[in-house]
Every structure is written in structure tokens, then in C-alpha cells.
Amino acid sequence: MSSDVDTTGAGTERLPDPELFTRGPLRLARSLWSTGDVRAEPAQLRRLRMYAAAGDPPADAVVQLLEELPAGRGRELFEQALTGGIDSVSDAPEPLVAFFTDVEAPPYWVDPDRLERGARAITRTGLLGMFPLADMSLMGGYLASRAAKTLVSTGDLEHMAPKRLIETATWWLDVTTPGAMRHGEKGYCSALRVRLVHAHVRAAMNRRDDWDYESWDLPVNQVQTVGTLLLFSQVFVLGTQMLGIRYARRERDDILHLWRYIGWLMGVDEGLLPAGEDDAWRMLWLLASTEFIPDEDSRRLANALLRSHSGIGERFGPLSGLVSTASTGLHAAISRMLLGDANADFLDLPNQRLAKTAVLGLAAANFATETVRSFVPGATMAQEKLGAFARGAYARQLGRLVPLDPTYASHMRSNSSNAAKTRRK
């Protein structure tokens, strides 16, 4: 038995905390918002790592079908089943029937009222919620170096960072809008389309002759998919709380319930899906122990994300340099709130004292406003309406900046082409 294993308490072996939990912001966040001991036992960690070799067989079978059918025909059948139900497709191929028969019968634990409440709690964060999405969820994801290998191999997030970030933000808005996760609605369709994108990318990576399975695991595997889910759910909640947003415990659980269903639609194994906030903390701990290990590719992707933030200054003429510096400093300061200085320094994120002070001031102002909101009758509903208006306007602005393909068909074609051409040195 390793001397690092904790055998105190009830005699259950617990592994030592990973670096992300031993110092800095996550250590403080755990003390404020988690309950109990979130550390895993060795056997639990081994079980998680088994999922690193697991894909998504139903979606993988659909992608194989699409590749075998005449060009465009498989995608046409998928879209028809997606919007009209599998019964609307006459003589549907068996992989398509199996896929949609499953997703059209939601599991027993799905509660439509909780889905709606979770979406409303996210919506009332308005545009403030977009900052943790980019600066904590996406930037934090780059610490997971094995997952980053797929992103670098496809070339998308390094060479087309602004476009891909807009697509990610648009998708996130789709699935977190109240009512959007009902069968056939925009969020429901977006979740299943992205599941197909993941399967398509996995197939493309598996065809490469330079993919290192021993070092990088199966591409777009179950551990990486649930990691993405945690970044968009638990890390988002932590990030908005650090920026001053206040949630009731039920709101936090409802947000995670919404993302549990999104994750289920996206093919995450039910054995990995967090059932609530306590589960999410335990999963985040496991991911920090096994996945959040940055390398040079992590730094490359972080720099690409920073460049996209810097690009906002281009439209300000003589002030472009000042605005670009302020933008990157502000986003980097928010990233440091969750990742800590050690990880932020490794990713070469700027460390501007003025920007950090501004973020702390913003968080304090938000917390004061949120405290008032929680006591004023009707204020929460008003904030939800204001947040919905701001998010809608932002989504329309994103659509004007980059022509978006809601089916992701073009994105899958480009991923396949890039995967075939790109070779790691």
C-alpha cells in the first residue's frame, strides 16, 4: 500500500488530493460548496480509467451507416428521424432504429420540471455566464492533455479558434434555454447532433496511423465526454459563483439535473453521469487526478483561445492595442480564479494585477446585487427575463459574425479532411 493513501476515518482507503485540490481556488471552493470527503478509493479510480477505452457504440454504428450509404442520404435519414421521430422514417436502417429507439425513451430519473428550473437558473446569469464558459470551462478543458490531442489533430481549435468558439457558445445557448430540451426542440436536436459529431471525429481519429492509444486513450472516449459535461455544468456553476452569482441548493442540483440529461442524450454512460452536486464534486476530483495534466498542446490551445479574445480589439482603430491587452487580461484573470496561478502560468496566461482587481470588484458587486435579488419578491423572475433577452441578442450577434450550420454536417466533413491530412510530428 502506498504511503500516500489516507487510511484515517472509517478505515476506507482514500487517495491523496491532486494538485488542483491541494491549493488555490478549487481548494477554497471545495471547502465552501462541497459536502463530505470527495476523494476516491483506488478501486474507484481504476474503474473510471476503464471508461477511457470506451466509445459510444450506438452513435458509432450510425456514423458507420452514414459512411456506407450514398453521400448525403444517411444524413438526410438522421435529420428526418431527429425532427420527426424514428417512426417517420420508412424502412429505417437498423443502426438508426436502435439509436433513436433508445434516445426517444428517456430514463426514469428525467424530471421535466427540474430541466426547466435548471435552464432558468442558468438563463438568469445572462451574459455573465458566458465568461466562465470560455475562461473556466474551455480553458480548464485544455489542462486535460489527452483530450487536447484530438483538438490539435483536427486543427479546428488552434487554426479556427474564433469560429469554433462561436459554435460552442451557440450550442451551449441552445441546450440551456428553457424548454429547449423537450423532444424535437432546438437543444434536444443540438445535443444529438453533437453526439454524432463526436462519433464522426472518433472514427476519423481511429483511421489515423499515428494515434497513440497507449498514451492518449481512445479518441473522444467516455472519460473525456463526461469531463466536457463537468466543465459545462459543475465548473460553470463554480465559475459563476466565484463571479458573485448566488444559487439556492435546489438551483444547483437542478442545473446538474439538466446537464445529466444532456449528457445522457450525448451518449455518456449512466455509470458516469453525476446524479447531483455531491456526485459532481467526486467526478471532478477524479478528473483532476487522472485527466488534468497539461502539456505543450495544452499551452498551444490556450494561446489560440487568448488570440481570439485579443481579436476583439481590431475594430477599435487607434485603441486596438489597448483594448486587446485589456480583453486578454480580463479573460486571463477570470481563468486564474479557477485554475490557480500555477496552471495559468504554465498556460502562459497574462497576470495583470489591474485586471484581477477589476474581476474581484465585479464579483463583489454581483454578490451584493444577488443578495438583494434573493430577498426582493419578483426580482428573480425579472432577472430571468433580462438574462433571456441578453442571451437572445447575443445569439443573434453570433449568427451575424459567423454563418452557422445547425446540422454540423460541414463541420464533420472538415474534421474528417483535417484528420486525414494532419500528422503529428
Side-chain angles (χ1 to χ4, degrees):
M1 181 184 301
S2 169
S3 60
D4 289 334
V5 174
D6 180 9
T7 58
T8 60
T12 302
E13 295 181 355
R14 301 277 183 168
L15 292 168
D17 280 328
E19 183 179 352
L20 269 176
F21 279 80
T22 58
R23 58 181 179 177
L26 262 184
R27 180 182 181 183
L28 175 61
R30 178 172 65 170
S31 68
L32 291 174
W33 295 305
S34 71
T35 59
D37 192 344
V38 302
R39 294 175 300 162
E41 301 172 23
Q44 290 175 315
L45 187 145
R46 290 195 299 271
R47 184 175 182 82
L48 174 74
R49 288 298 301 155
M50 291 169 60
Y51 285 100
D56 180 0
D60 293 338
V62 171
V63 164
Q64 183 176 348
L65 171 69
L66 267 58
E67 293 175 348
E68 294 170 351
L69 291 175
R73 177 56 179 163
R75 190 75 200 194
E76 179 183 341
L77 294 175
F78 180 86
E79 286 295 319
Q80 182 179 342
L82 182 62
T83 56
I86 190 61
D87 291 340
S88 71
V89 183
S90 58
D91 298 323
E94 177 55 33
L96 207 63
V97 172
F99 181 89
F100 280 101
T101 298
D102 181 49
V103 300
E104 288 177 4
Y108 77 92
W109 45 260
V110 175
D111 182 339
D113 292 336
R114 295 189 66 191
L115 299 180
E116 194 75 3
R117 293 199 304 265
R120 292 205 311 267
I122 293 173
T123 296
R124 71 174 173 82
T125 67
L127 295 187
L128 182 69
M130 304 307 296
F131 285 93
L133 176 66
D135 302 330
M136 296 182 178
S137 300
L138 291 179
M139 189 67 79
Y142 295 156
L143 296 178
S145 57
R146 284 190 288 259
K149 296 298 176 286
T150 300
L151 300 177
V152 172
S153 295
T154 60
D156 276 345
L157 283 186
E158 185 172 29
H159 301 295
M160 300 177 64
K163 179 177 184 294
R164 288 294 291 114
L165 289 174
I166 288 173
E167 289 178 342
T168 300
T170 301
W171 178 85
W172 187 83
L173 290 168
D174 285 348
V175 299
T176 59
T177 296
M181 294 309 298
R182 300 190 189 109
H183 185 275
E185 295 294 335
K186 180 181 286 188
Y188 172 90
C189 293
S190 292
L192 291 176
R193 285 170 178 147
V194 166
R195 178 177 180 179
L196 206 65
V197 170
H198 288 171
H200 186 91
V201 172
R202 185 163 47 248
M205 293 298 106
N206 282 332
R207 286 194 292 267
R208 293 173 63 107
D209 57 13
D210 60 349
W211 187 265
D212 188 343
Y213 291 91
E214 183 176 351
S215 299
W216 305 336
D217 300 328
L218 183 76
V220 200
N221 61 65
Q222 286 283 329
V223 174
Q224 293 170 3
T225 308
V226 77
T228 300
L229 188 74
L230 261 290
L231 290 168
F232 286 161
S233 55
Q234 177 72 349
V235 168
F236 167 83
V237 170
L238 291 176
T240 50
Q241 285 176 310
M242 289 178 178
L243 290 175
I245 298 296
R246 300 187 65 177
Y247 301 102
R249 175 63 189 247
R250 190 179 81 163
E251 286 182 310
R252 300 199 302 269
D253 278 335
D254 287 342
I255 289 172
L256 291 168
H257 185 80
L258 169 65
W259 279 100
R260 185 185 185 191
Y261 181 49
I262 295 170
W264 182 84
L265 286 174
M266 294 180 66
V268 179
D269 191 287
E270 286 201 66
L272 294 176
L273 288 171
E277 190 173 19
D278 291 340
D279 282 1
W281 270 108
R282 295 187 193 97
M283 179 58 73
L284 186 61
W285 188 98
L286 281 166
L287 294 171
S289 297
T290 64
E291 306 303 308
F292 294 156
I293 306 169
D295 64 7
E296 287 303 313
D297 283 337
S298 305
R299 183 180 283 128
R300 291 169 63 188
L301 290 165
N303 289 338
L305 181 56
L306 281 180
R307 286 196 298 272
S308 70
H309 294 321
S310 176
I312 194 174
E314 295 175 358
R315 69 189 72 172
F316 288 91
L319 297 176
S320 60
L322 179 63
V323 173
S324 294
T325 300
S327 176
T328 55
L330 177 66
H331 286 285
I334 295 174
S335 295
R336 285 178 178 274
M337 289 186 73
L338 180 75
L339 307 183
D341 286 332
N343 282 311
D345 288 342
F346 180 86
L347 296 176
D348 291 333
L349 304 186
N351 189 7
Q352 300 176 8
R353 179 175 299 179
L354 181 60
K356 293 169 76 171
T357 301
V359 169
L360 290 175
L362 173 65
N366 285 335
F367 187 83
T369 302
E370 283 281 275
T371 300
V372 173
R373 174 196 59 77
S374 65
F375 287 103
V376 176
T380 297
M381 184 178 295
Q383 186 62 37
E384 289 172 4
K385 292 181 178 179
L386 181 62
F389 175 81
R391 282 162 49 103
Y394 185 65
R396 291 189 291 272
Q397 177 65 19
L398 293 179
R400 286 191 289 268
L401 290 174
V402 174
L404 299 174
D405 173 16
T407 70
Y408 301 103
S410 59
H411 179 54
M412 290 201 296
R413 285 195 298 271
S414 65
N415 273 340
S416 180
S417 175
N418 288 337
K421 293 177 182 178
T422 306
R423 290 293 182 267
R424 297 188 59 81
K425 297 181 179 179

